[in-house]
Amino acid sequence: MRDRIIVKKELIPYGFNIALGKEKFNMRFAYNKQADLFTVSLYRDGKLLCHAEPVVYGVSLFRDVYESGVFPMPDIVPYDESGQEQSVTWENFGETVFLTIDNGK
């Protein structure tokens, strides 16, 4: 089983500090009910690195804006290890679909 970032969707909008690799970041989550879409903004040392990145099943977060030495090293991918889900929804996020950390292990 991959490591997971636990998001407490019932607290959204909210954020938390997290160590990813050797660096510390702040992740802030939001939810658009009409679109059934989660987003995440990423901060490092109080500086906004990425605003409202959509949480899309199977797609690494921040891949379109990734910059080595600025963003977290491991890939963060919304994924269902049971293979039952193919999208991220309010019903399955944090239940069967989790933000998994793919650190090459």
Side-chain angles (χ1 to χ4, degrees):
M1 181 185 325
R2 298 177 186 180
D3 290 334
R4 299 174 176 173
I5 297 172
I6 303 301
V7 177
K8 298 176 183 175
K9 65 183 176 188
E10 63 277 357
L11 298 178
I12 291 175
Y14 92 116
F16 53 85
N17 294 322
I18 185 168
L20 296 168
K22 296 179 181 179
E23 303 296 329
K24 293 181 183 175
F25 297 88
N26 181 272
M27 299 179 87
R28 297 184 188 169
F29 290 86
Y31 177 72
N32 180 315
K33 186 175 182 177
Q34 186 173 4
D36 194 17
L37 177 69
F38 291 90
T39 61
V40 58
S41 296
L42 185 69
Y43 296 79
R44 181 176 175 186
D45 298 325
K47 178 183 174 190
L48 178 64
L49 301 178
C50 185
H51 177 69
E53 172 85 3
V55 178
V56 178
Y57 185 85
V59 178
S60 296
L61 294 178
F62 319 119
R63 72 179 187 156
D64 291 337
V65 295
Y66 179 82
E67 184 179 335
S68 181
V70 176
F71 283 82
M73 286 295 291
D75 283 337
I76 303 168
V77 182
Y79 187 69
D80 171 18
E81 291 183 323
S82 73
Q84 297 175 6
E85 306 291 348
Q86 296 299 312
S87 62
V88 179
T89 67
W90 179 265
E91 288 78 27
N92 67 26
F93 192 50
E95 306 296 328
T96 56
V97 174
F98 296 92
L99 294 182
T100 61
I101 300 175
D102 185 359
N103 51 16
K105 290 183 180 178

